[in-house]
Amino acid sequence: MELKNISQNNIDILKKYEVYLYTVKQLSDNSVISYILDIYKYLKYIKKDYNQTTNNDIYNYLKYLSKDKYSVYSVARKISSIKLFYNYLDNEDIYILEVNIERPSFYKKLPTILSIYEVDKLLDIKLNTPYDYRNKAMLELMYATGLRVSELVSLTSNNIDLESNIVRCYGKGNKERIVPIGSVASKYVKLYLTEYRQSLQKRTICDNLFLNNHGNPLTRQGFLLILKNIAKEKGIEKNITPHMLRHSFATHLLNNGADLRSIQLMLGHSNISTTQIYTNVSNEKLIENYELFHPRKWKRGKAWI
C-alpha cells in the first residue's frame, strides 16, 4: 500500500503496526490491509502525528464520516480499528491515549416503526376462523404490551390475568416483569382463549397460549410468517418484523405522554439508556413535522427566511 500525504512519523508507525498485525495478531492479508487503511485515512484527515492526537480528534473524524454518509456498520468498524491502533501504541509503550469514544449518538440506528394508521390497518383482521381469532389476539397483545416475539410465543394461559388486565412474562436473563394489557387486547385474548383455542388443540397437551395448526406451540418463525402475510394483505409496504411492533408500542406511548421510566419497565430494559433511543425517534418526527408544516421552516444547518 502506498502511503502518502501523511508525515514520515505516521508512515513509520504504520509500518511497525503492520508488522504487529501480522506477527502478534496473526491476521490475514485482507484484515491487515483493512486495519492499516482505516488508520491511514484517520491520520490523513486529522493532519497530526499519531503521538499528538486526542479523543477530540477521534470524535471530529467520526463526525466528518457522518457528513460523508458512511453506514453505521462502516463507522463501527472504523471505531474498532482506531481502538485497536491505540491499544497497540499503549501495549508497546509508544504513546498512551485512553480512548473513551463509543459509537456517537448520530450513528445510533433509529428503529423503524409503524404509524398509528398502519397499526390500525394491521390489526383490522376479518374474524372468520379460529386462526383469525388467534392472529387477532396475538397482534393486539403484542402491540398492547411491547412483548418480544420470544416472550409472546412462550406465554401460557397462566401468564395472563384477564381480571386484572396484566400479563406476566420472562425476558432476557429470565427476569420476570408484569405489563398491563389494554381493554381491546384483553377482549380478544379472552375471546380466543375461551372460545377458539380449544379447537386448535390436537391430541397433544400443550400449555402455550398460542398454538399452530398442529396443536403445538407457535414458533417465532411461524409468528413472523403470519405477521408478514397479514401486512402484505393489508398493503403495508414496510419490511415488517415482530420487533417493529415493539418499537411502535414504545414510540406511540412516548408520543402520547408516557414517561420514559414506565416504558423502560414495560419493555424490560435493564438500562434506561436503551429506552432513550425512542426519544430520538420522537425528535426526528418533531423535526420532520416542523419542516413540513411551519410557514417559515428551516432545515438542519440552513435557515429559510
Side-chain angles (χ1 to χ4, degrees):
M1 183 191 305
E2 185 180 359
L3 302 176
K4 56 184 180 180
N5 299 324
I6 60 174
S7 70
Q8 187 60 48
N9 199 18
N10 283 340
I11 291 174
D12 291 341
I13 198 64
L14 282 179
K15 288 180 177 178
K16 291 179 181 178
Y17 185 46
E18 182 180 23
V19 173
Y20 167 83
L21 293 175
Y22 274 121
T23 58
V24 178
K25 287 294 186 179
Q26 297 185 331
L27 299 179
S28 67
D29 288 346
N30 288 340
S31 294
V32 171
I33 290 171
S34 294
Y35 280 121
I36 295 295
L37 189 58
D38 282 343
I39 303 306
Y40 165 70
K41 289 180 177 179
Y42 160 63
L43 293 173
K44 182 181 176 182
Y45 173 79
I46 62 174
K47 297 181 173 63
K48 280 185 179 181
D49 281 355
Y50 69 90
N51 53 6
Q52 296 175 340
T53 55
T54 66
N55 274 293
N56 201 45
D57 292 319
I58 302 172
Y59 184 82
N60 287 336
Y61 177 62
L62 297 176
K63 199 168 185 180
Y64 152 75
L65 294 178
S66 77
K67 294 177 182 177
D68 216 25
K69 306 299 182 185
Y70 278 80
S71 74
V72 63
Y73 307 106
S74 295
V75 174
R77 197 202 74 222
K78 290 178 187 297
I79 291 173
S80 297
S81 294
I82 289 170
K83 286 184 175 182
L84 182 62
F85 176 64
Y86 282 105
N87 283 340
Y88 157 73
L89 296 178
D90 189 0
N91 292 337
E92 298 295 314
D93 293 324
I94 298 172
Y95 178 64
I96 297 176
L97 175 65
E98 186 177 342
V99 178
N100 54 24
I101 298 292
E102 299 299 329
R103 181 179 295 174
S105 59
F106 46 73
Y107 275 113
K108 289 180 179 175
K109 192 175 182 181
L110 297 182
T112 304
I113 65 167
L114 297 171
S115 67
I116 293 176
Y117 171 71
E118 288 170 325
V119 170
D120 286 342
K121 283 179 68 177
L122 186 72
L123 299 181
D124 185 21
I125 298 172
K126 291 181 181 179
L127 302 176
N128 297 314
T129 70
Y131 297 109
D132 295 330
Y133 283 92
R134 178 202 62 190
N135 296 345
K136 175 72 170 174
M138 284 194 307
L139 296 188
E140 289 283 0
L141 184 60
M142 182 171 246
Y143 177 63
T145 59
L147 295 184
R148 300 177 179 93
V149 63
S150 57
E151 296 167 347
L152 183 82
V153 298
S154 299
L155 290 176
T156 69
S157 54
N158 291 330
N159 296 134
I160 302 282
D161 185 342
L162 295 174
E163 295 298 322
S164 302
N165 283 347
I166 59 171
V167 58
R168 186 187 308 273
C169 66
Y170 298 87
K172 292 182 178 179
N174 207 32
K175 291 182 180 177
E176 181 187 86
R177 72 181 189 278
I178 295 174
V179 185
I181 309 171
S183 58
V184 176
S186 181
K187 169 188 170 182
Y188 286 104
V189 171
K190 185 175 184 178
L191 190 59
Y192 162 72
L193 190 58
T194 57
E195 297 188 28
Y196 295 97
R197 182 182 176 277
Q198 188 174 1
S199 65
L200 301 183
Q201 288 181 302
K202 307 299 179 184
R203 294 181 180 179
T204 56
I205 297 175
C206 179
D207 291 331
N208 287 62
L209 181 61
F210 297 113
L211 307 177
N212 63 20
N213 57 342
H214 298 294
N216 296 321
L218 190 71
T219 63
R220 291 180 300 147
Q221 294 79 5
F223 179 87
L224 176 60
L225 183 60
I226 292 168
L227 180 63
K228 284 188 175 294
N229 285 339
I230 294 174
K232 184 178 180 181
E233 177 189 324
K234 300 295 181 179
I236 297 171
E237 296 180 355
K238 290 176 180 173
N239 183 23
I240 196 166
T241 65
H243 226 63
M244 199 180 287
L245 277 174
R246 178 171 161 88
H247 291 321
S248 303
F249 158 83
T251 304
H252 295 167
L253 273 177
L254 188 66
N255 287 345
N256 283 285
D259 67 274
L260 207 59
R261 173 61 177 160
S262 297
I263 295 172
Q264 177 197 0
L265 292 174
M266 286 186 278
L267 291 175
H269 289 160
S270 57
N271 195 317
I272 200 166
S273 63
T274 309
T275 318
Q276 283 172 333
I277 192 169
Y278 297 108
T279 64
N280 294 333
V281 178
S282 297
N283 289 340
E284 286 285 314
K285 189 64 178 174
L286 182 69
I287 292 169
E288 179 185 327
N289 283 336
Y290 190 97
E291 291 178 351
L292 280 173
F293 302 118
H294 197 280
R296 295 170 71 83
K297 58 191 174 182
W298 57 273
K299 284 194 174 183
R300 279 163 252 192
K302 180 180 179 181
W304 291 355
I305 301 174

